[in-house]
Amino acid sequence: MKSMNLTYWIITGLLSALMLLGSVPDLLMNPDAVALFAQLGYPAYLLPFLGAAKIAGVAAILIPGFPRIKEWAYAGLTFDLAGAMYSTISVGDPAGGWLLFLIGFALIAGSYILHHRRQKASTSGSAKYTGAF
């Protein structure tokens, strides 16, 4: 259980760092982020919304409890990454840029799977025998 917790926190920390590093330029409407959005064909006013949504998703994943919100956060981060990857493919960006997306998907999947394994291990370990059938 201890190594699973360590692995979970390493993967979740890397996922959080990746998403937070991507959200800050969006939230601040960095000129490079605005230019990238223009290249993809999206309006700049979406940037702060997406930046704030990513930050909220990372917070939901990191804060203990709230299992339903955590599920939605994992889904939202996956949709964000899938939309970004689809957009870059659609405008003809080279396949070499897909590596960051694939790393992001791997981090999301790893964090999500380990989150559920940790939940299952903690609930099965805390179950007590009552003697009743």
Side-chain angles (χ1 to χ4, degrees), residues 71-111:
E71 291 288 325
W72 279 94
Y74 278 113
L77 295 177
T78 302
F79 294 145
D80 175 74
L81 207 56
M85 185 173 183
Y86 178 80
S87 296
T88 59
I89 292 170
S90 294
V91 297
D93 283 353
W98 301 354
L99 181 60
L100 188 60
F101 295 116
L102 298 177
I103 290 169
F105 285 125
L107 291 173
I108 291 171
S111 177

Side-chain angles (χ1 to χ4, degrees), residues 24-88:
V24 171
D26 294 351
L27 195 59
L28 299 176
M29 292 194 65
N30 180 292
D32 291 335
V34 172
L36 175 63
F37 248 48
Q39 175 191 347
L40 296 173
Y42 295 116
Y45 64 80
L46 281 177
L47 280 169
F49 171 77
L50 289 175
K54 286 183 218 178
I55 291 170
V58 168
I61 288 172
L62 293 176
I63 296 172
F66 309 104
R68 181 122 343 142
I69 293 173
K70 198 173 296 275
E71 291 288 325
W72 279 94
Y74 278 113
L77 295 177
T78 302
F79 294 145
D80 175 74
L81 207 56
M85 185 173 183
Y86 178 80
S87 296
T88 59

Side-chain angles (χ1 to χ4, degrees), residues 115-132:
H115 164 68
H116 282 285
R117 286 186 184 166
R118 289 174 67 231
Q119 270 189 324
K120 187 176 181 181
S122 69
T123 57
S124 67
S126 64
K128 294 183 181 178
Y129 177 68
T130 61

